[in-house]
Amino acid sequence: ATELCSPHADPGTMKMLRLRSPSIFSLNQEMQCTVRLLDDSEISCNIQRDTRGQFLLDHVCNHYSLLEKDYFGIRYVDPEKQRHWLDPSKAVVKQMKCVQPYTMCFRVKFYPQEPIKIKEELTRYLLYLQLKRDLNHGRLLCPFADAAYLGACIVQAEIGDHDADEHPADFIGDFKLFPKQSPKLERKIIEIYQNELRGQCPALAELNLLQRAHTLDTYGVDPHPCKDFTGVTAFLGFTARGFVVFQGNKRIHLLKWADVSKFKFDGKTFYVIGVQREKKLVLTFHTSTPAACKHLWKCGVENQAFYKCAKSSQIKTASSSNIFFKGTRFRYSGRVAKEVIEASSKIQRDPPVVHRSVKTSRSFNSLSHKQLIMNMEPLLPVLSSTKENRDTSEVELEGREGNFTETAEAESAASAAGVEEEGRHVEEEETACSLTISDTAYNPCASVLPTPVEEGQGGMDFLFQSPGRLLKELHADPEVQAELRREREWELVEETVHQVQHEPTDGGRRLGAVLRSAARLVTAAGALLLVLLPLLLLLLESNLDVSFLQDIRQTPEFEQFHYEYYCPLRRWFVCKFEGLMEWLWGASNG
């Protein structure tokens, strides 16, 4: 250090030190990061420039003492108001493009397909908080009877058994359960709360809510707004069952994960490629921005890997294009659903204490997983209602759509109220987005997006046409037909490569893979040779007086190569070339 700082030090060295000092300082600089939790509380920590997202996720999970953490993620909003999931494998600073301090939200990223298989009460409680938010923001739509039951479960979990001395007749109005609550819905909630849920502890009431919620079509759906090929507003989502499409309050399409081949995107166009009735299917949608389309594609790739793959070693890197070395590449790096369930079954610790945000009027001890299952057995008939009851509930919901969705005229006021309630930028964005989803996404009558429908085209019935008709019209689209032709041409090329496989055996597939790897290796070697050959000729044949070239030429290894190998090889080529030229000259004269 004394030598470098002395006045006789090399000026180039001092310049290098001056250039590097700020970067070293910035690496050690700490930045504050705030994470908003599911109960609206916050935790903060300091991170450095090279801190990865996994550290932040582990910090939140350690705060909860949470082991089943694969279902959860951290979400943030960029300056362009686009939401993202924090990538655990990348540095936080490189992903966050907003000003400090960084603010994010801890949320459920993958909804368990069967909540009963969750091992610990803590994990079920966090999932309960997420579903409670989904109900309040209008993301979890449900028929009238289901809405009343879910609301009653929340009330039972929050305040315990009904007490006439403590709870007035209109106490349900103090609970903000749905975007809009009608008096009839509140009366039904009170009826179920008083008669069916009495005696249940918070953990059991929360589990009953999970069991009912996971049967709904919108369970686990984080709607992505887009337009289909006809220009009609649609909302895409990914669930444990597969890829779903909503128009209005109706789910018009469900493509199970076994039938989904891959997802692609190009600019603002999103493609879903799958198989239906043994025929290839390509669904095309258009998002508002390229960033929204890329986020939609990443969510699709992650959900497909999490729910479809049997183990994480089967996950492959997804590419947004079929062209070699082109397009965005992305790979989900976490565990899959089956591995998470298997790991949960092996947890051998005393259940951690669940600190609920709302104090109940009765004190209950935390129940074990086995006790919860035993206590749930009398409620199983309630959870599986008959088809007639479901149909009746759907009819009741038709007349009370305002209970769960707002009109377009009230959208701005609802958004402002949501912003005031949340109080922070990230939560404001989530509330605004969710209000748009609940008010506009699921109600085409109140849509603020241009979705004109002529009476001659069938009026509003056009929005709720059958999936078969939609698919028929989808395949009539010229852009889709062109995409299908390109896919078929690509498949023909792949079949030509696979002609070396006489039988569809594993050995044949391995041989094909080896051949393709060899072809890639030869291509890469040829490209490398094209780069190195001019450099080698420059060293051997030119007389350029460049210092680093002279240093290379003066090395013993280079001189040995030049005189023992290159010079004889050059004389042999010259001799052969002269002989060939003489033969050609003689043949032309003869």
Side-chain angles (χ1 to χ4, degrees):
T2 304
E3 181 181 354
L4 290 177
C5 297
S6 65
H8 302 289
D10 186 9
T13 304
M14 297 297 295
K15 184 178 180 180
M16 185 181 301
L17 287 176
R18 286 195 298 270
L19 290 176
R20 288 184 178 180
S21 296
S23 62
I24 295 175
F25 174 76
S26 61
L27 284 175
N28 295 327
Q29 183 181 6
E30 290 188 346
M31 291 150 286
Q32 186 178 10
C33 184
T34 301
V35 181
R36 171 163 289 192
L37 306 179
L38 286 163
D39 58 356
D40 289 333
S41 63
E42 295 179 354
I43 61 172
S44 300
C45 66
N46 294 326
I47 61 173
Q48 296 181 347
R49 295 189 62 86
D50 58 346
T51 301
R52 298 184 182 272
Q54 187 64 49
F55 169 82
L56 203 57
L57 183 60
D58 291 339
H59 178 73
V60 178
C61 293
N62 292 336
H63 168 78
Y64 277 119
S65 187
L66 177 66
L67 292 183
E68 297 170 296
K69 56 187 177 181
D70 299 87
Y71 298 114
F72 302 89
I74 295 178
R75 170 171 275 167
Y76 67 94
V77 182
D78 64 17
E80 285 75 30
K81 309 301 182 182
Q82 175 60 48
R83 294 190 298 173
H84 303 273
W85 287 106
L86 191 68
D87 192 337
S89 62
K90 295 182 179 179
V92 176
V93 176
K94 291 184 178 179
Q95 300 180 66
M96 300 290 294
K97 299 179 182 179
C98 57
V99 296
Q100 301 179 32
Y102 299 143
T103 305
M104 311 176 196
C105 294
F106 179 74
R107 297 291 181 261
V108 174
K109 187 175 183 180
F110 303 110
Y111 288 70
Q113 185 173 9
E114 298 178 84
I116 196 67
K117 292 185 178 179
I118 298 177
K119 180 68 175 292
E120 296 196 323
E121 178 187 335
L122 172 63
T123 313
R124 289 193 295 271
Y125 173 66
L126 295 177
L127 178 58
Y128 156 80
L129 291 179
Q130 179 67 65
L131 292 175
K132 182 181 170 184
R133 299 182 69 88
D134 293 344
L135 283 171
N136 183 257
H137 291 159
R139 287 189 293 266
L140 183 60
L141 298 182
C142 48
F144 182 81
D146 288 330
Y149 183 83
L150 296 178
C153 288
I154 294 176
V155 175
Q156 180 68 29
E158 301 265 334
I159 66 175
D161 291 343
H162 179 263
D163 190 338
D165 297 332
E166 296 182 8
H167 307 140
D170 58 347
F171 75 98
I172 293 295
D174 297 334
F175 286 85
K176 182 61 176 176
L177 303 175
F178 303 97
K180 240 184 179 182
Q181 296 175 192
S182 66
K184 183 172 182 178
L185 177 61
E186 292 182 354
R187 289 194 298 270
K188 187 65 174 178
I189 291 174
I190 294 177
E191 177 186 343
I192 298 176
Y193 164 62
Q194 292 179 347
N195 300 328
E196 299 183 21
L197 305 181
R198 176 172 291 275
Q200 293 187 11
C201 66
L204 183 55
E206 292 161 5
L207 182 56
N208 286 334
L209 181 140
L210 303 186
Q211 286 295 95
R212 176 65 68 92
H214 94 282
T215 63
L216 301 174
D217 288 341
T218 50
Y219 170 76
V221 174
D222 183 17
H224 298 261
C226 66
K227 291 191 176 183
D228 62 10
F229 69 98
T230 64
V232 177
T233 301
F235 285 81
L236 315 183
F238 309 98
T239 69
R241 298 179 61 190
F243 168 75
V244 292
V245 181
F246 285 86
Q247 281 184 356
N249 286 345
K250 305 290 183 180
R251 188 187 71 188
I252 65 169
H253 196 68
L254 168 63
L255 195 62
K256 296 183 179 180
W257 288 123
D259 299 328
V260 176
S261 300
K262 56 184 173 181
F263 300 104
K264 295 197 307 179
F265 81 96
D266 184 11
K268 295 189 290 185
T269 305
F270 178 68
Y271 302 96
V272 182
I273 303 172
V275 178
Q276 192 169 59
R277 297 178 182 177
E278 299 181 356
K279 292 184 180 180
K280 189 164 187 176
L281 174 68
V282 178
L283 301 176
T284 306
F285 302 93
H286 304 282
T287 60
S288 58
T289 62
C293 193
K294 184 177 180 180
H295 173 63
L296 174 61
W297 174 73
K298 281 189 173 182
C299 290
V301 171
E302 289 184 320
N303 279 271
Q304 183 184 23
F306 183 80
Y307 293 114
K308 185 176 181 180
C309 295
K311 48 187 177 180
S312 55
S313 60
Q314 297 177 352
I315 300 175
K316 298 181 180 179
T317 301
S319 176
S320 62
S321 175
N322 282 330
I323 303 176
F324 189 57
F325 289 134
K326 184 179 180 181
T328 304
R329 298 172 67 84
F330 177 71
R331 183 180 185 274
Y332 171 64
S333 57
R335 294 192 293 186
V336 300
K338 292 184 178 179
E339 292 176 335
V340 174
I341 295 174
E342 183 180 355
S344 298
S345 63
K346 297 179 181 178
I347 295 178
Q348 302 289 337
R349 70 166 180 175
D350 294 333
V353 178
V354 179
H355 300 283
R356 289 175 168 80
S357 57
V358 178
K359 294 184 179 180
T360 61
S361 60
R362 295 173 181 266
S363 59
F364 295 96
N365 293 327
S366 178
L367 298 181
S368 66
H369 186 65
K370 183 177 180 181
Q371 290 172 323
L372 283 174
I373 297 175
M374 293 174 62
N375 289 333
M376 271 200 58
E377 289 179 357
L379 297 176
L380 288 178
V382 178
L383 295 177
S384 58
S385 59
T386 60
K387 186 180 186 298
E388 290 78 12
N389 292 335
R390 288 283 182 176
D391 295 339
T392 304
S393 302
E394 292 288 353
V395 173
E396 291 179 346
L397 178 64
E398 294 283 338
R400 299 166 181 80
E401 202 170 23
N403 295 336
F404 314 105
T405 57
E406 305 278 350
T407 59
E409 291 77 11
E411 182 182 3
S412 59
S415 300
V419 169
E420 292 176 1
E421 183 180 359
E422 296 300 336
R424 287 192 179 271
H425 170 69
V426 174
E427 200 62 28
E428 289 172 3
E429 176 61 25
E430 179 179 320
T431 305
C433 183
S434 63
L435 285 171
T436 303
I437 290 170
S438 63
D439 304 344
T440 303
Y442 293 106
N443 187 358
C445 301
S447 177
V448 296
L449 297 178
T451 56
V453 180
E454 299 294 338
E455 291 297 329
Q457 297 176 344
M460 293 307 299
D461 293 336
F462 177 78
L463 295 178
F464 302 111
Q465 55 188 298
S466 64
R469 180 180 173 187
L470 281 174
L471 294 177
K472 183 178 180 181
E473 295 182 359
L474 181 64
H475 285 282
D477 184 33
E479 295 183 1
V480 175
Q481 292 295 330
E483 177 65 22
L484 287 171
R485 283 195 295 271
R486 288 194 295 269
E487 291 291 337
R488 282 194 289 268
E489 292 173 358
W490 179 258
E491 288 179 353
L492 289 176
V493 172
E494 290 183 340
E495 290 177 1
T496 303
V497 175
H498 285 288
Q499 283 180 354
V500 295
Q501 303 176 4
H502 301 288
E503 294 180 359
T505 60
D506 292 340
R509 283 192 290 270
R510 293 195 193 95
L511 178 60
V514 170
L515 291 177
R516 287 193 296 272
S517 300
R520 295 192 189 98
L521 181 61
V522 171
T523 303
L528 185 62
L529 185 61
L530 289 177
V531 175
L532 294 179
L533 186 60
L535 180 61
L536 185 62
L537 292 176
L538 184 67
L539 284 170
L540 294 169
E541 297 294 338
S542 69
N543 293 322
L544 293 177
D545 189 11
V546 182
S547 59
F548 80 92
L549 292 179
Q550 292 293 342
D551 294 338
I552 295 176
R553 292 191 186 103
Q554 292 175 3
T555 58
E557 294 82 1
F558 183 83
E559 291 180 352
Q560 181 181 5
F561 170 78
H562 182 268
Y563 292 110
E564 294 186 9
Y565 297 99
Y566 177 73
C567 289
L569 183 63
R570 184 178 59 176
R571 287 194 296 269
W572 182 82
F573 269 111
V574 169
C575 181
K576 292 295 182 182
F577 181 76
E578 290 177 351
L580 179 62
M581 296 300 295
E582 290 178 359
W583 179 81
L584 292 175
W585 177 259
S588 61
N589 292 334

